[in-house]
Protein backbone atom coordinates (compact mmCIF):
# COMPACT_ATOMS: atom_id res chain seq x y z
CA UNK A 1 0.00 0.00 0.00
CA UNK A 2 1.07 3.59 -0.66
CA UNK A 3 0.60 6.23 2.02
CA UNK A 4 -0.21 9.86 1.20
CA UNK A 5 3.41 10.73 2.08
CA UNK A 6 4.59 8.47 -0.78
CA UNK A 7 2.69 10.48 -3.42
CA UNK A 8 4.73 12.53 -5.87
CA UNK A 9 4.46 13.55 -9.51
CA UNK A 10 4.40 10.42 -11.70
CA UNK A 11 3.15 8.03 -8.97
CA UNK A 12 0.68 5.49 -10.37
CA UNK A 13 -2.18 4.30 -8.15
CA UNK A 14 -5.63 2.68 -8.24
CA UNK A 15 -8.60 4.93 -7.48
CA UNK A 16 -12.20 3.67 -7.85
CA UNK A 17 -10.88 0.65 -9.79
CA UNK A 18 -9.05 2.70 -12.46
CA UNK A 19 -5.34 3.48 -12.80
CA UNK A 20 -4.39 7.12 -12.20
CA UNK A 21 -1.09 8.99 -12.43
CA UNK A 22 -0.33 11.98 -10.18
CA UNK A 23 0.30 15.03 -12.41
CA UNK A 24 0.82 17.65 -9.69
CA UNK A 25 1.16 17.51 -5.95
CA UNK A 26 1.15 20.12 -3.12
CA UNK A 27 1.72 19.67 0.59
CA UNK A 28 -0.24 22.18 2.71
CA UNK A 29 0.27 22.57 6.46
CA UNK A 30 -2.39 24.88 7.88
CA UNK A 31 -1.61 26.70 11.11
CA UNK A 32 -3.91 24.41 13.02
CA UNK A 33 -5.02 20.85 12.25
CA UNK A 34 -3.77 18.01 10.10
CA UNK A 35 -1.52 18.41 7.07
CA UNK A 36 -3.26 18.27 3.69
CA UNK A 37 -2.03 16.81 0.42
CA UNK A 38 -3.57 18.35 -2.71
CA UNK A 39 -3.24 16.19 -5.83
CA UNK A 40 -4.17 16.49 -9.49
CA UNK A 41 -4.51 13.07 -11.08
CA UNK A 42 -5.14 11.84 -14.61
CA UNK A 43 -7.05 8.68 -15.43
CA UNK A 44 -4.68 6.58 -17.54
CA UNK A 45 -7.53 4.94 -19.48
CA UNK A 46 -10.04 7.75 -20.15
CA UNK A 47 -7.65 10.72 -19.84
CA UNK A 48 -9.98 12.62 -17.50
CA UNK A 49 -8.40 14.64 -14.68
CA UNK A 50 -9.53 15.20 -11.13
CA UNK A 51 -8.45 17.21 -8.09
CA UNK A 52 -8.43 15.52 -4.69
CA UNK A 53 -7.33 16.58 -1.21
CA UNK A 54 -6.14 13.95 1.27
CA UNK A 55 -5.22 14.06 4.96
CA UNK A 56 -2.08 12.46 6.29
CA UNK A 57 -2.57 8.81 7.18
CA UNK A 58 -4.69 7.82 4.17
CA UNK A 59 -3.41 5.02 1.94
CA UNK A 60 -3.78 3.83 -1.67
CA UNK A 61 -3.30 0.69 -3.68
CA UNK A 62 -0.38 0.98 -6.14
CA UNK A 63 -1.38 0.45 -9.77
CA UNK A 64 -0.16 -2.92 -11.03
CA UNK A 65 1.38 -1.78 -14.28
CA UNK A 66 3.51 -3.85 -16.60
CA UNK A 67 5.59 -2.45 -19.44
CA UNK A 68 6.46 -4.86 -22.25
CA UNK A 69 8.70 -4.49 -25.29
CA UNK A 70 6.56 -4.79 -28.40
CA UNK A 71 6.73 -4.16 -32.12
CA UNK A 72 4.17 -2.05 -33.96
CA UNK A 73 2.67 -4.14 -36.78
CA UNK A 74 -0.14 -2.25 -38.52
CA UNK A 75 -3.14 0.07 -38.27
CA UNK A 76 -6.64 -1.06 -39.19
CA UNK A 77 -9.23 1.73 -39.00
CA UNK A 78 -8.78 3.26 -35.53
CA UNK A 79 -7.07 0.14 -34.12
CA UNK A 80 -3.30 -0.25 -33.77
CA UNK A 81 -1.83 -3.76 -33.52
CA UNK A 82 1.35 -4.53 -31.56
CA UNK A 83 3.21 -7.82 -31.07
CA UNK A 84 4.94 -8.91 -27.85
CA UNK A 85 8.64 -9.57 -28.57
CA UNK A 86 8.84 -12.60 -26.22
CA UNK A 87 5.51 -14.44 -26.53
CA UNK A 88 4.58 -13.23 -30.06
CA UNK A 89 1.06 -12.43 -28.76
CA UNK A 90 -0.70 -9.55 -30.47
CA UNK A 91 -2.52 -6.75 -28.62
CA UNK A 92 -4.84 -4.18 -30.19
CA UNK A 93 -5.08 -0.59 -28.95
CA UNK A 94 -7.59 2.14 -29.74
CA UNK A 95 -6.31 5.35 -31.34
CA UNK A 96 -7.13 7.31 -28.14
CA UNK A 97 -4.85 5.06 -26.05
CA UNK A 98 -2.01 5.40 -28.57
CA UNK A 99 -2.27 9.21 -28.35
CA UNK A 100 0.38 11.38 -30.02
CA UNK A 101 2.61 8.33 -30.56
CA UNK A 102 0.56 7.66 -33.72
CA UNK A 103 2.43 10.54 -35.40
CA UNK A 104 5.70 8.60 -35.24
CA UNK A 105 4.67 4.95 -35.67
CA UNK A 106 6.01 3.09 -38.69
CA UNK A 107 5.57 -0.63 -39.19
CA UNK A 108 8.16 -2.69 -37.25
CA UNK A 109 8.94 0.18 -34.82
CA UNK A 110 10.05 -1.17 -31.42
CA UNK A 111 8.05 0.42 -28.57
CA UNK A 112 7.18 -0.21 -24.92
CA UNK A 113 3.47 -0.83 -24.28
CA UNK A 114 2.07 -0.07 -20.82
CA UNK A 115 -0.44 -2.68 -19.62
CA UNK A 116 -2.93 -2.41 -16.76
CA UNK A 117 -3.76 -6.01 -16.04
CA UNK A 118 -3.87 -7.32 -19.60
CA UNK A 119 -5.35 -4.11 -21.07
CA UNK A 120 -2.92 -1.95 -23.11
CA UNK A 121 -3.29 1.70 -22.01
CA UNK A 122 -0.24 3.52 -23.35
CA UNK A 123 2.76 3.49 -25.72
CA UNK A 124 6.29 4.71 -24.99
CA UNK A 125 8.33 5.47 -28.10
CA UNK A 126 12.11 5.62 -28.39
CA UNK A 127 13.29 9.21 -27.68
CA UNK A 128 14.40 9.70 -31.29
CA UNK A 129 12.97 8.21 -34.49
CA UNK A 130 14.02 8.46 -38.16
CA UNK A 131 11.29 9.45 -40.64
CA UNK A 132 11.43 10.36 -44.33
CA UNK A 133 10.20 13.79 -45.51
CA UNK A 134 7.45 13.24 -48.10
CA UNK A 135 6.53 16.86 -48.82
CA UNK A 136 8.17 20.24 -48.23
CA UNK A 137 8.63 23.45 -50.16
CA UNK A 138 11.94 23.88 -52.00
CA UNK A 139 14.51 26.24 -50.52
CA UNK A 140 15.07 29.36 -52.57
CA UNK A 141 18.75 30.25 -52.49
CA UNK A 142 19.17 33.83 -51.42
CA UNK A 143 15.87 33.90 -49.53
CA UNK A 144 16.78 36.07 -46.56
CA UNK A 145 13.24 36.84 -45.45
CA UNK A 146 14.24 35.81 -41.95
CA UNK A 147 12.25 32.61 -41.68
CA UNK A 148 14.56 29.96 -40.30
CA UNK A 149 12.15 27.04 -40.76
CA UNK A 150 9.50 25.70 -43.10
CA UNK A 151 6.73 23.09 -42.75
CA UNK A 152 7.47 19.51 -43.79
CA UNK A 153 5.27 16.40 -43.89
CA UNK A 154 6.85 13.06 -42.97
CA UNK A 155 5.79 9.56 -44.09
CA UNK A 156 3.33 9.12 -41.18
CA UNK A 157 1.46 12.29 -42.19
CA UNK A 158 2.83 14.32 -39.27
CA UNK A 159 3.68 17.96 -40.07
CA UNK A 160 6.58 19.73 -38.32
CA UNK A 161 8.92 22.70 -38.82
CA UNK A 162 12.34 21.93 -40.34
CA UNK A 163 15.34 24.07 -41.39
CA UNK A 164 15.16 25.43 -44.98
CA UNK A 165 17.93 23.12 -46.31
CA UNK A 166 15.84 19.95 -45.73
CA UNK A 167 14.50 18.53 -49.01
CA UNK A 168 11.92 15.92 -49.97
CA UNK A 169 12.93 12.24 -49.53
CA UNK A 170 15.53 13.14 -46.89
CA UNK A 171 15.65 11.05 -43.73
CA UNK A 172 15.44 13.21 -40.58
CA UNK A 173 15.63 12.51 -36.84
CA UNK A 174 12.62 13.64 -34.78
CA UNK A 175 12.54 13.95 -30.97
CA UNK A 176 9.36 12.04 -30.08
CA UNK A 177 9.08 13.77 -26.68
CA UNK A 178 8.64 17.21 -28.26
CA UNK A 179 7.68 16.33 -31.85
CA UNK A 180 10.44 18.61 -33.16
CA UNK A 181 13.14 18.20 -35.79
CA UNK A 182 16.47 17.14 -34.28
CA UNK A 183 18.94 16.55 -37.13
CA UNK A 184 19.44 14.99 -40.57
CA UNK A 185 20.39 11.33 -40.84
CA UNK A 186 23.97 11.17 -42.10
CA UNK A 187 24.79 8.74 -44.85
Amino acid sequence: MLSVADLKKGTKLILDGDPYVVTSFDFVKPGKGQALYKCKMKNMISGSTLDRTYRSGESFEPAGMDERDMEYLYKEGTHYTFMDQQSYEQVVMEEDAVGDAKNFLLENTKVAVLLFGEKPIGVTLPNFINLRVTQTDPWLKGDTSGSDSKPATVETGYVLRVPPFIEENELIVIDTRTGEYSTRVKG
Side-chain angles (χ1 to χ4, degrees):
M1 295 297 279
L2 295 170
S3 76
V4 177
D6 295 329
L7 293 182
K8 60 182 181 278
K9 188 174 178 177
T11 302
K12 295 173 179 77
L13 53 101
I14 303 282
L15 205 60
D16 304 325
D18 283 339
Y20 281 83
V21 62
V22 176
T23 56
S24 78
F25 177 82
D26 277 332
F27 174 74
V28 180
K29 176 79 171 112
K32 178 167 110 173
Q34 265 188 318
L36 300 173
Y37 297 84
K38 292 185 178 186
C39 301
K40 270 191 181 175
M41 293 179 270
K42 181 178 178 184
N43 185 312
M44 296 178 74
I45 294 173
S46 70
S48 62
T49 59
L50 56 97
D51 292 323
R52 291 273 172 97
T53 303
Y54 299 103
R55 298 190 182 282
S56 55
E58 293 186 51
S59 60
F60 308 95
E61 181 183 345
M65 302 283 185
D66 185 23
E67 198 167 59
R68 290 196 202 141
D69 291 330
M70 296 199 181
E71 182 178 328
Y72 170 63
L73 296 178
Y74 59 90
K75 176 185 176 189
E76 190 174 315
T78 60
H79 296 64
Y80 290 76
T81 304
F82 298 87
M83 181 180 67
D84 191 316
Q85 296 288 287
Q86 268 70 48
S87 67
Y88 301 107
E89 288 180 42
Q90 292 184 5
V91 295
V92 177
M93 289 178 73
E94 289 289 330
E95 193 166 346
D96 294 345
V98 174
D100 289 340
K102 69 181 180 221
N103 296 325
F104 310 108
L105 282 176
L106 284 178
E107 291 179 1
N108 305 320
T109 302
K110 306 277 190 274
V111 297
V113 173
L114 186 64
L115 298 159
F116 175 63
E118 287 299 310
K119 180 178 171 55
I121 60 171
V123 175
T124 305
L125 294 165
N127 290 340
F128 296 95
I129 199 152
N130 299 344
L131 293 174
R132 189 164 304 282
V133 175
T134 57
Q135 194 281 320
T136 189
D137 296 329
W139 182 31
L140 302 172
K141 202 166 182 92
D143 180 9
T144 57
S145 64
S147 70
D148 58 348
S149 66
K150 62 182 181 177
T153 306
V154 292
E155 56 196 305
T156 60
Y158 180 65
V159 178
L160 71 157
R161 308 277 316 163
V162 297
F165 55 81
I166 297 295
E167 297 173 4
E168 285 186 18
N169 294 322
E170 266 193 88
L171 207 54
I172 61 172
V173 179
I174 299 174
D175 186 334
T176 59
R177 298 163 295 188
T178 62
E180 295 176 355
Y181 166 86
S182 180
T183 185
R184 277 201 275 205
V185 174
K186 313 280 191 278

